[in-house]
Amino acid sequence: MDVRSERAAPGSRVLLRATKYDGTAHWIQPFRVVADDGNLLVTSYRARTPIYTSRGEFRSPYDSVVYFWRDRWYNVFRLSRPGCPTALWYCNVTTPPTFDGCQIGYVDLDLDVKVYPTGCIELLDEDEFEAHREKYGYPDDLVARARAAAEEVAQLARERRFPFSCGPEPMRNRSSHRTL
């Protein structure tokens, strides 16, 4: 079965099963499908619904709309408080996702990009990426793809391109943290 050709029906429920590079479970989260055009799978998640992580159960205070492109090395969570506008975008650098009709799967590659509507863009977890690069033996091409994905998603945010197209102020890099 070619999992890239499977499409999810709007309104259906799907389960995300993310792993680390060695195959260990990292993140399990339920979503409701908003749309699926065969490449971009858009899902949603309600605040306070349990998420199961390698560190235990977590309940996000945010409602989320999540964008999974089947041909990109990242996904984007648009987070908002219930009844409020976008609080931030959280972008996970991952392998391109698979979808089998019921489950979304990908390998989490540690790097994350956080984008605020004010324009602050932060690269997160570089230390974890470097530690896992050594521990799991990330191949050079995977390292290059992960770094390129972090830069690509940051560039989309800087240019206010989809899905970073809302916010109260012009996007600009403003941060005391490592920015892209």
Side-chain angles (χ1 to χ4, degrees), residues 34 65 70 72 88 101 122 149 167:
V34 175
V65 174
R70 289 176 175 89
R72 297 188 188 177
L88 63 99
E122 298 175 7

Side-chain angles (χ1 to χ4, degrees), residues 50-65:
I51 300 167
Y52 303 97
T53 76
S54 56
R55 298 178 192 141
E57 184 180 303
F58 171 72
R59 292 177 185 255
S60 172
Y62 298 105
D63 286 336
S64 303
V65 174

Side-chain angles (χ1 to χ4, degrees), residues 58 61 79 88 105 120 131 134 147:
F58 171 72
L79 307 174
L88 63 99
C120 178
E134 187 173 316
R147 291 191 190 284

Side-chain angles (χ1 to χ4, degrees), residues 31 68 89 114 156 178:
F31 292 107
F68 297 98
W89 291 269
K114 190 184 283 189
L156 286 174
R178 166 102 156 74

Side-chain angles (χ1 to χ4, degrees), residues 85-116:
T86 301
L88 63 99
W89 291 269
Y90 198 91
C91 314
N92 300 289
V93 173
T94 70
T95 58
T98 58
F99 181 66
D100 67 4
C102 300
Q103 292 184 21
I104 301 164
Y106 62 75
V107 175
D108 183 275
L109 297 174
D110 314 307
L111 291 175
D112 300 302
V113 178
K114 190 184 283 189
V115 178
Y116 293 93

